[in-house]
Amino acid sequence: MHSTRHTVRHAPGLLLLFLVCHGVAAQIPEVQLRGRMVCLIEELHRLHGAELPARHEHHYGFKTEDGRLFTLLRGTYSEALFADARLREKDLLLKARLFPGTQILEVLRIRSVRAGVVQDLYYYCDICAIRSVAPGVCDCCQAPMELVEKPE
């Protein structure tokens, strides 16, 4: 009975020790990367001769200015990169979390660079004055949100 109380009393500390030792509680580093969206299949074919079927689904990723390739997690802040083809034509600046031991990014913010000037990039409804990070229709009036790119 005594050992059961001892275990229960120290369980929160043991759980914290386990999480820290396994990196779960570790801070995931944020990075800022400049580059462009690419189809990873096409890029790996170009660079390394990977198989490229004539008809293939695009698997978009991010290629930095220095040639590194990253896989992007699809989420709230990255949805525009997958949904809006116009963004795949732009020089982009991504703020993201880079998961340790991987080349996987969780996007936190998207900006563009035009003529050397960093641009804020977002979607906007002129009718309701609502701003969004992803394309689509306004939650309020259902009008299409417009892409806005303006100097910071």
Side-chain angles (χ1 to χ4, degrees):
M1 182 94 146
H2 179 276
S3 63
T4 303
R5 274 186 289 184
H6 184 277
T7 304
V8 171
R9 187 171 28 148
H10 293 306
L14 291 174
L15 177 61
L16 180 59
L17 179 62
F18 173 82
L19 293 175
V20 170
C21 288
H22 286 80
V24 177
Q27 184 73 356
I28 297 174
E30 289 183 5
V31 294
Q32 184 165 280
L33 301 169
R34 185 171 174 175
R36 298 179 82 79
M37 293 293 292
V38 294
C39 172
L40 293 172
I41 296 169
E42 292 169 9
E43 195 63 19
L44 291 173
H45 172 75
R46 188 180 71 74
L47 293 171
H48 306 291
E51 183 180 342
L52 178 64
R55 294 174 52 102
H56 64 277
E57 181 179 334
H58 292 295
H59 292 280
Y60 291 109
F62 193 71
K63 182 178 180 181
T64 61
E65 290 178 308
D66 63 4
R68 292 179 292 156
L69 294 172
F70 293 88
T71 300
L72 301 175
L73 292 179
R74 196 164 188 161
T76 302
Y77 297 102
S78 65
E79 182 59 29
L81 297 170
F82 296 97
D84 191 339
R86 296 172 295 179
L87 298 186
R88 294 191 290 273
E89 303 301 319
K90 297 184 180 296
D91 186 16
L92 298 171
L93 196 58
L94 299 184
K95 178 180 176 186
R97 293 188 332 147
L98 175 59
F99 293 98
T102 74
Q103 291 289 100
I104 300 173
L105 297 174
E106 177 184 37
V107 175
L108 303 173
R109 183 172 183 197
I110 304 169
R111 293 177 292 167
S112 64
V113 180
R114 190 171 45 183
V117 178
V118 176
Q119 308 284 317
D120 197 7
L121 197 62
Y122 57 92
Y123 296 85
Y124 191 75
C125 174
D126 285 327
I127 298 166
C128 305
I130 292 176
R131 190 173 164 157
S132 176
V133 296
V137 296
C138 175
D139 288 336
C140 181
C141 72
Q142 302 301 300
M145 302 285 277
E146 297 297 323
L147 178 62
V148 175
E149 190 174 18
K150 60 195 278 189
E152 287 194 313

